[in-house]
Amino acid sequence: AQSVTQPDIHITVSEGASLELRCNYSYGATPYLFWYVQSPGQGLQLLLKYFSGDTLVQGIKGFEAEFKRSQSSFNLRKPSVHWSDAAEYFCAVEGDSSASKIIFGSGTRLSIRP
Amino acid sequence: DTGVSQNPRHKITKRGQNVTFRCDPISEHNRLYWYRQTLGQGPEFLTYFQNEAQLEKSRLLSDRFSAERPKGSFSTLEIQRTEQGDSAMYLCASSYPKKSSGNTIYFGEGSWLTVV
């Protein structure tokens, strides 16, 4: 069964600074990987996903993530954060079998320092 | 594409009462998922459907929980004899997996349940 670990519970960065949120997954075969963002009291919005091919994935709102199979990681990055990026970020993994479900990490809360 | 729609958005109920949530997926999406999320946690998988077939149920889904998707379109999640521990946000999501692009899952805004 697949699993996801987000080691950072809460991160604070200054507006304009770069950001990297960590995600490690466990799955025996080729995973599908996702990053979602959630504002308080809202549903989840998909930022980006890795399906196959290029291991550097571009998403919405200026985010990107890199799939590193050797490290079982899928870290999310943004070169310059904006105050509106403050939210909860979830990494998720799905196995590649037809009967797989999507499993989420526990999330990283991002705060932005003015 | 109107997105995944859930209702009611908020429900306050007394312990012991039954509640039902409805989810309307994006049209033509054949997969529909239910998740539960409590404060400070990531969404926990409850169950999912492929068309009208319920393919998997989490052990979190006790006998008091039942989900249906009778015609492969909308779905309902019913919680019987609610307990305070059922208080959470219930998220619905849908998708249409494709060989060319994998499985992209879209979430609704969630239904908040408070059991008092």
Side-chain angles (χ1 to χ4, degrees):
Chain A
Q2 66 267 40
S3 66
V4 180
T5 302
Q6 293 182 249
D8 303 306
I9 296 173
H10 183 206
I11 285 181
T12 300
V13 299
S14 298
E15 190 168 16
S18 64
L19 170 71
E20 182 168 26
L21 302 182
R22 296 184 291 166
C23 172
N24 292 96
Y25 69 90
S26 173
Y27 184 67
T30 304
Y32 300 150
L33 297 159
F34 310 82
W35 275 99
Y36 285 85
V37 61
Q38 185 179 38
S39 297
Q42 302 298 311
L44 285 81
Q45 181 183 21
L46 179 67
L47 287 175
L48 49 78
K49 70 175 187 181
Y50 170 76
F51 166 62
S52 66
D54 195 346
T55 56
L56 184 62
V57 180
Q58 301 298 319
I60 61 170
K61 303 185 180 186
F63 287 93
E64 67 178 27
E66 187 171 12
F67 169 52
K68 292 185 177 179
R69 187 186 300 274
S70 61
Q71 299 177 17
S72 297
S73 69
F74 188 56
N75 294 349
L76 182 71
R77 299 194 294 249
K78 186 170 185 178
S80 176
V81 298
H82 186 261
W83 63 267
S84 60
D85 293 325
E88 190 88 20
Y89 291 79
F90 294 98
C91 182
V93 62
E94 182 186 18
D96 61 352
S97 77
S98 60
S100 290
K101 57 186 181 287
I102 296 161
I103 300 298
F104 285 83
S106 55
T108 298
R109 183 161 60 95
L110 174 65
S111 297
I112 306 297
R113 191 185 300 119
Chain B
D1 185 344
T2 58
V4 178
S5 175
Q6 293 186 245
N7 65 81
R9 291 292 316 280
H10 298 88
K11 179 74 176 178
I12 300 174
T13 191
K14 291 184 178 179
R15 187 163 51 97
Q17 297 293 304
N18 299 344
V19 297
T20 299
F21 298 111
R22 176 179 169 125
C23 173
D24 288 272
I26 294 171
S27 71
E28 298 179 357
H29 277 194
N30 59 352
R31 282 201 185 172
L32 187 147
Y33 305 80
W34 285 101
Y35 285 81
R36 180 173 67 188
Q37 187 179 25
T38 52
L39 282 175
Q41 299 298 315
E44 296 173 298
F45 171 80
L46 293 179
T47 188
Y48 87 96
F49 294 83
Q50 176 122 334
N51 300 311
E52 65 274 11
Q54 190 171 17
L55 294 188
E56 187 170 347
K57 291 168 58 173
S58 164
R59 57 182 172 80
L60 294 175
L61 215 64
S62 75
D63 292 345
R64 297 184 297 105
F65 288 70
S66 63
E68 295 182 344
R69 194 181 184 199
K71 296 182 180 179
S73 57
F74 74 92
S75 175
T76 58
L77 177 68
E78 181 182 19
I79 309 173
Q80 296 182 324
R81 305 182 302 282
T82 52
E83 301 173 357
Q84 286 189 321
D86 297 332
S87 296
M89 182 161 70
Y90 291 85
L91 289 160
C92 178
S94 72
S95 71
Y96 187 82
K98 298 178 183 177
K99 278 192 175 180
S100 59
S101 60
N103 191 20
T104 302
I105 299 117
Y106 297 91
F107 281 83
E109 293 296 310
S111 292
W112 282 98
L113 173 64
T114 302
V115 181
V116 297

